[in-house]
């Protein structure tokens, strides 16, 4: 059965949350994360607040009834940047609206089949923001994937537990002007 993709807004995303939490638990049990039940519960508890963020969008990949990948994020308005950033972004980047990718995960058994690339393509396609941004653990294998996909490091940050993170950006295509 082919993988199917669907896009969810805040109104429809909650139906996917149980499967999303299960996928998160599998992905983040791996090194370098080694997250356990406490972190998974924190993720689950934060999902309702995530849906209230401006521009919240969730894209999921399913194989039949099984969630095999997901990516979501929200708008980071002009003037805002990552809270724990160790450096200021360029003036152009700070002054622009950005789309913050908060999670971009694929089940370990399904990696390497293009699911992650399709998730992010669908998540970012047609976005009105000028930039996409995300934070990545430099020790994670995904960090190299982001670099190969054109994401550029513009700074660093640290999680509340002290885990270092790279702050990455990707310029988004300018949406065409619609003529009447």
């Amino acid at each position: 059965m082919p993988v199917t993709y669907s896009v969810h807004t805040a109104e429809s995303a909650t139906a996917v949350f149980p499967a999303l939490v299960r996928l998160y638990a599998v992905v983040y049990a791996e090194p370098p994360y080694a997250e356990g039940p406490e972190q998974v519960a924190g993720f689950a508890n934060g999902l309702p607040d995530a849906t209230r963020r401006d521009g919240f969008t969730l894209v999921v990949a399913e194989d039949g009834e099984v969630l095999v990948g997901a990516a979501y994020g929200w708008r980071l308005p002009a003037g805002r940047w990552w809270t724990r950033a160790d450096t200021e972004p360029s003036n152009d980047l700070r002054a622009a609206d950005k789309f913050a990718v908060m999670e971009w995960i694929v089940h370990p058994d399904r990696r390497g089949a293009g699911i992650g690339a399709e998730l992010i393509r669908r998540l970012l396609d047609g976005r009105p923001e000028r930039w996409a941004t995300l934070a990545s653990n430099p020790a994670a294998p995904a960090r190299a994937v982001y670099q190969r996909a054109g994401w550029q490091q513009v700074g660093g940050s640290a999680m509340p537990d002290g885990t270092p993170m790279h702050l990455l950006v990707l310029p988004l295509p300018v949406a065409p002007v619609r003529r009447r």
Side-chain angles (χ1 to χ4, degrees), residues 7-179:
V7 178
H8 299 271
T9 60
E11 294 75 31
S12 63
T14 56
V16 182
F17 285 175
L20 180 57
V21 170
R22 288 190 297 274
L23 178 61
Y24 179 96
V26 170
V27 169
Y28 285 98
E30 296 181 307
Y33 314 107
E35 291 189 7
E38 184 178 323
Q39 290 87 1
V40 172
F43 171 75
N45 292 337
L47 285 172
D49 286 340
T51 64
R52 290 189 276 279
R53 299 285 190 132
D54 184 33
F56 173 86
T57 306
L58 166 68
V59 179
V60 298
E62 296 173 291
D63 187 348
E65 299 291 316
V66 179
L67 187 72
V68 295
Y72 75 82
W74 52 74
R75 186 174 162 269
L76 188 63
R80 299 275 318 273
W81 188 237
W82 294 94
T83 307
R84 297 181 190 91
D86 61 9
T87 58
E88 280 294 311
S90 69
N91 289 337
D92 289 345
L93 185 56
R94 181 175 275 287
D97 289 338
K98 296 153 290 286
F99 185 79
V101 177
M102 302 311 292
E103 292 296 339
W104 180 10
I105 56 178
V106 175
H107 192 283
D109 295 341
R110 301 305 298 269
R111 293 182 187 145
I115 294 170
E118 186 63 15
L119 284 167
I120 203 68
R121 185 190 70 75
R122 289 175 184 246
L123 182 64
L124 299 179
D125 187 42
R127 295 287 327 169
E129 297 87 5
R130 296 274 301 121
W131 297 91
T133 183
L134 61 79
S136 175
N137 183 322
R143 177 61 180 85
V145 172
Y146 304 151
Q147 185 169 344
R148 285 193 305 272
W151 292 79
Q152 298 293 313
Q153 184 177 349
V154 294
S157 181
M159 298 294 288
D161 67 2
T163 301
M165 301 295 279
H166 287 170
L167 300 178
L168 309 175
V169 296
L170 181 73
L172 297 178
V174 176
V177 175
R178 295 179 190 246
R179 297 179 190 223

